[in-house]
Amino acid sequence: MSQNKAMSLISLATRAGKTVSGEFCTEKEVKSGKAALVIVAGDASDNTKKKFQNMCDFYEVPMYVCEDKDTLGHMMGKEMRASLAVLDEGFAKGIRKHLDTQR
């Protein structure tokens, strides 16, 4: 249930223009300080996950790992995605709340 709510919030944030996806755009938004939350696909390469984990730790941005690239892309209404950044603090807070209850 919480997974579905998190997916709905990500979809809503995407339609509102408050997300970016893809490694380059996600990295750019984290480094610029605009990213409030980063989500990485579980089947992304170990190098990609480590890169984003280190970057998020350094810039103090919360990072979560979701199932796979298909699921992450589906949440955004797009093709497969390895990573996404949520740019709005309100959306990020709601998504984190539902992802935390899932853990």
Side-chain angles (χ1 to χ4, degrees), residues 33 51 94:
K51 171 181 142 182

Side-chain angles (χ1 to χ4, degrees), residues 18-40 48-64 83-88:
K18 300 295 182 184
T19 62
V20 295
S21 62
E23 287 186 46
F24 178 75
C25 291
T26 302
E27 180 177 352
K28 178 180 155 199
E29 296 301 337
V30 170
K31 289 182 176 179
S32 72
K34 294 179 184 171
L37 173 67
V38 171
I39 301 175
V40 178
T48 299
K49 287 188 273 193
K50 184 175 182 339
K51 171 181 142 182
F52 279 111
Q53 186 63 62
N54 291 340
M55 187 187 323
C56 289
D57 288 346
F58 182 79
Y59 289 96
E60 297 178 354
V61 176
M63 185 188 115
Y64 290 84
S83 64
L84 75 85
V86 179
L87 307 178
D88 182 80

